[in-house]
Amino acid sequence: VAIALNNLNFAYSEDKNILKGVSFKVKNGEFTSIVGESGCGKSTIAGLIMGHLKGYKGNLYINGVETNSISEEIKMKNITLISHDSFIFKGTVRENLLMGKIDATDEELLEALDKVKLKDFILSEGGLDFKILEQGNNISGGQKQRLALARALLKDSNIYIFDEATSNIDVESENLIMEVINNLAGSKTIILISHRLANVVKSDIIYVMQEGIIKESGNHEELITNGVVYKKMYEQQEELERFGRGEVIDA
């Protein structure tokens, strides 16, 4: 088991209990998704695993060791978090990518860019010495996320956490990022936190959160057949997307 939560409770303040006795396991090499409405506690779990948030009650184990006992350095080496607002530094593309692997060759950097379909764009802008402005202001949001993903791939961690990594970006970039995530699944342990259920269909297991608790769990087929919360959310989103595409929806 890569990560285990046992009766995990967390509050940002005394009167704001976010996680209420959450228990689940993420197996090594498994593609796990955590879904639910905004504010249900999904990103809080990511923050606790990474050690960005402290002061939980219950147990949180990483590879069988309580996370409080694991140094920041070991966590950073073994777990990579890709969030919805990944930080891109002012400097060259090369400098940004080398933060993932300090001794990477130019060939390795270009290979990582190729995996996220950014290689041709970067080469057209002058290659690895292309200068990124403050907060990546001279590239699009989707390109920024893909650059952050290329950096994450170079790091080659055992565990990858994608926390709404595809929100607020163009559809092409979203599809490319999901393709990379699906390709990583199996060889790496993946935790995907997403409000968009179309992205979690291929997960080995999906945990459905509601108001700080795990309401349902299973794979997509099981949750569509036996679930209530997931099934309703999935059908509502599907209908909205069909409407967005201009398809006729039966009354």
Side-chain angles (χ1 to χ4, degrees), residues 96-161:
N96 268 280
L97 290 176
L98 287 175
M99 296 193 72
K101 186 183 179 187
I102 195 73
D103 58 351
T105 63
D106 282 7
E107 191 182 359
E108 286 176 298
L109 301 183
L110 289 169
E111 191 185 332
L113 289 170
D114 196 32
K115 282 179 183 170
V116 299
K117 304 289 190 289
L118 261 188
K119 183 181 167 184
D120 291 345
F121 167 74
I122 296 298
L123 290 176
S124 74
E125 295 291 329
L128 294 168
D129 293 318
F130 170 46
K131 283 192 168 58
I132 306 288
L133 298 179
E134 195 85 47
Q135 295 178 332
N137 281 339
N138 56 334
I139 56 176
S140 72
Q143 289 168 334
K144 210 163 112 173
Q145 277 299 81
R146 285 189 271 157
L147 183 58
L149 181 54
R151 182 173 65 200
L153 293 176
L154 283 159
K155 202 172 155 201
D156 198 27
S157 300
N158 298 321
I159 301 169
Y160 283 89
I161 302 174

Side-chain angles (χ1 to χ4, degrees), residues 21-38:
V22 174
S23 299
F24 67 82
K25 289 175 181 171
V26 177
K27 294 176 186 169
N28 284 302
E30 196 169 63
F31 180 5
T32 300
S33 287
I34 305 171
V35 303
E37 300 289 352
S38 182

Side-chain angles (χ1 to χ4, degrees), residues 9-11 48 53-57 68:
N9 292 272
F10 180 79
L48 288 167
L53 298 173
K54 309 281 185 190
Y56 61 83
K57 288 175 183 168
N68 288 335

Side-chain angles (χ1 to χ4, degrees), residues 25-234:
K25 289 175 181 171
V26 177
K27 294 176 186 169
N28 284 302
E30 196 169 63
F31 180 5
T32 300
S33 287
I34 305 171
V35 303
E37 300 289 352
S38 182
C40 68
K42 305 186 299 290
S43 293
T44 300
I45 289 173
L48 288 167
I49 292 169
M50 294 304 298
H52 299 158
L53 298 173
K54 309 281 185 190
Y56 61 83
K57 288 175 183 168
N59 301 103
L60 175 51
Y61 301 105
I62 299 172
N63 291 327
V65 181
E66 185 74 46
T67 184
N68 288 335
S69 312
I70 303 171
S71 72
E72 196 72 24
E73 190 184 354
I74 290 173
K75 264 186 216 163
M76 292 288 284
K77 188 181 174 188
N78 287 288
I79 311 173
T80 298
L81 173 70
I82 300 99
S83 66
H84 60 93
D85 57 351
S86 297
F87 196 78
I88 297 298
F89 299 88
K90 183 182 177 183
T92 64
V93 169
R94 182 187 280 105
E95 286 165 344
N96 268 280
L97 290 176
L98 287 175
M99 296 193 72
K101 186 183 179 187
I102 195 73
D103 58 351
T105 63
D106 282 7
E107 191 182 359
E108 286 176 298
L109 301 183
L110 289 169
E111 191 185 332
L113 289 170
D114 196 32
K115 282 179 183 170
V116 299
K117 304 289 190 289
L118 261 188
K119 183 181 167 184
D120 291 345
F121 167 74
I122 296 298
L123 290 176
S124 74
E125 295 291 329
L128 294 168
D129 293 318
F130 170 46
K131 283 192 168 58
I132 306 288
L133 298 179
E134 195 85 47
Q135 295 178 332
N137 281 339
N138 56 334
I139 56 176
S140 72
Q143 289 168 334
K144 210 163 112 173
Q145 277 299 81
R146 285 189 271 157
L147 183 58
L149 181 54
R151 182 173 65 200
L153 293 176
L154 283 159
K155 202 172 155 201
D156 198 27
S157 300
N158 298 321
I159 301 169
Y160 283 89
I161 302 174
F162 296 90
D163 185 5
E164 298 288 9
T166 61
S167 64
N168 302 322
I169 59 173
D170 59 280
V171 174
E172 186 192 1
S173 290
E174 179 176 15
N175 292 339
L176 286 166
I177 289 170
M178 282 313 305
E179 194 180 315
V180 172
I181 292 172
N182 287 315
N183 288 340
L184 273 179
S187 61
K188 301 291 183 183
T189 302
I190 306 286
I191 298 175
L192 174 64
I193 294 167
S194 181
H195 68 280
R196 186 156 184 256
L197 302 188
N199 289 338
V200 308
V201 171
K202 293 180 180 176
S203 310
D204 295 310
I205 187 158
I206 301 162
Y207 292 103
V208 185
M209 292 193 70
Q210 194 176 53
E211 295 178 357
I213 63 168
I214 301 289
K215 200 77 176 171
E216 300 168 350
S217 65
N219 62 31
H220 173 74
E221 287 75 20
E222 289 166 348
L223 288 168
I224 287 293
T225 307
N226 305 315
V228 176
V229 180
Y230 181 88
K231 186 173 188 278
K232 188 181 176 187
M233 281 173 64
Y234 186 83

